[in-house]
Amino acid sequence: MFVIERMSTDLITALPDMKIGQAYDLMKERRIRHLPVSDGEGKLVGMVSDRDMRSAMPSKLLDSDSYEATLKKVMNFTLAEIMTREPVKIFVYYTIQDVLLIMRKYKVGAVPVVDDDGYLKGILSTRDLLSAFVDVMGIDEPGALLCILSDDRQGQMKKIVDIVTEERISLGSVLVSKSLEQDRKAVFPYLLTNNVARVKTRLIEAGFELTDPMQWYFDQLPKKQ
Amino acid sequence: MAELPAGVVQAFFARTCCNYWNVLRSGRSSYGNLVSVRRVALKSQEEMQLNYFTGEQETEQMKKTGFIYDDTYLQHNTGDWHPESSERLRVIVNGLKESGLLEKLVRIEAEPANQRWVEAVHHVNYIMRFNDACAMGLPDFDHQENSICRESFKAALLAAGGVIKAIDSIMVGDVETAFCAVRPPGHHAEVDKAMGFCYFNNVAIGARYAQRQWGMKRVGIIDFDVHHGNGTQHIFETDPTVFYYSIHEHPSFAYPGTGRDFECGVAAGEGTTKNSVILPGRGDHDYRRKLTEDLIPAFKKFQPDMILVSAGFDAHAADMMSGVNLSTDGYDFVSELIMNLANALTDGKVVSILEGGYNLELLPLLVENHIKHLAGLRGV
């Protein structure tokens, strides 16, 4: 999955000499929290987040006269004064996996996407990532989740998929989690079906264990003394 | 009814709390391990059967209760592998015959729904599309699991028509409550899409009919099928005159993946949709708690003129379609609570409509118990 499929290209950008007041209104009106700043030719030069904005604002603890006076002054500064120069950025050929790790590492809520020459092409926010994962998990479509415990050896997934296929059921997604028990894997197929009874019975017959998610949850709870 | 009589409410809460307390005392809420839940489920099933044979819980007075069934419903042939089979209705009717309950019920003849009532819920194009698919002999409709045959359209019209006849019978006073043993089921059917073995949304058509034909201002729908009734919710989510309440397995685990507890209605309908989600294995414990905490206050505030029920029996521990592990006792609690609500709010007017329930061995007993509650033979 590449970011180019997931980024927003309907861009709202600002020039470095835009007044903070204007930018504030723009972000409020368009309900965005990250504003990429580009030069006149479309090259990325910085990013302004709502946190940058807030830290530039005068404290509301001030009395109203000095608050208003300071606010007026602040609003007249340009974005160049508060923007993050050389922000964390990604390239159009990055993958969604890259972005997950980048966002976790740099703790940012959105990253601008640029091409090799530094021209701004899009922006990818945590919200876009969330939609990507709703898609990947297939949970936009009606279906049901199975929770299967299987031995951690080759060929188990094939058995599961074979049974699902023989029951003529489409797969929305399959997640595999690190073992809940030693030498075992938990497999979570999301089946696009309302008819899970037969497939569950057949999986049990084939030697798989269907886990009870709540049992697992209770096992994790701190034990009472 | 304008106000709930205080005595009824007190009596009701006393009963509910009492039941709840008994469950706690008997240790049935220790759901720490699944094995014990299954054991409890089986144990209570034996108990119920015992009670059923000795008639311990039955009382003398019986409400006039309508029963809607027609052999045409069996003609909707879904094929050998399909869980939503005509066998479901066969075992229900046989069970009711054997127990002798059937002859105590008022048989109501179903008629095909006038298309204008189906159109009150579904797009006319969708209705035609469904009719065409059946007439052409296609194997399925909108999804490969929605198996159809040439008779499916006829059966679906008759299923919706059965609900309509049940409402008529209640409104003219022939019966006080009614159970519609109909198929295909309805609660997954969207305005223009068949889903989850459902083609026409029977309960939604019934609600619209009650409003437009009989001037019912507010209709309350209680859906206790283990799956969320996405169709019913979407049809009424902007409508403040129909309250849709559903209790079902958590949508992360169960079909169709909608009905999270933050879905509360849209625009003018905000507040007249409510979803109670049950995590796997938490059946009895959470059904009692959520129905008491979510459904009762909501309906008390909403004051429905009539209650329609989407009755699904697939939440039972023995039904492989779900994992919530509701026991036979748990189902009794659900039916009892619905009847108590209806007696307090709608002069007992309830139409209950069959949705899911796929364990053919258990289905007759669960339906029989449910009808006994509708008839006031149990739990009053």
Side-chain angles (χ1 to χ4, degrees), chain A residues 134-151:
Chain A
V134 168
D135 253 23
V136 166
M137 295 176 76
I139 54 177
D140 254 358
E141 274 187 82
L145 187 77
L146 297 188
C147 311
I148 305 169
L149 267 186
S150 89
D151 293 341

Side-chain angles (χ1 to χ4, degrees), chain A residues 139 141-147 167-169 190 192-198 200-201 204 210 212-215 218, chain B residues 31-34 81 83 143-145 188 195-197 227 252-257 279-282 320-323:
Chain A
I139 54 177
E141 274 187 82
L145 187 77
L146 297 188
C147 311
E167 288 299 317
R168 297 190 287 165
I169 290 169
Y190 186 68
L192 304 183
T193 181
N194 185 10
N195 180 15
V196 289
R198 270 174 61 113
K200 274 160 78 174
T201 311
I204 293 169
L210 296 187
D212 176 5
M214 288 311 284
Q215 175 66 54
F218 283 122
Chain B
Y31 290 96
N33 87 47
L34 182 67
W81 61 276
H143 188 283
Q144 75 174 39
E145 275 171 12
H188 292 305
M195 271 175 72
F197 323 151
H227 305 105
S252 287
F253 299 94
Y255 186 87
L279 282 160
R282 302 285 289 164
M320 287 294 279
M321 278 296 193
S322 72

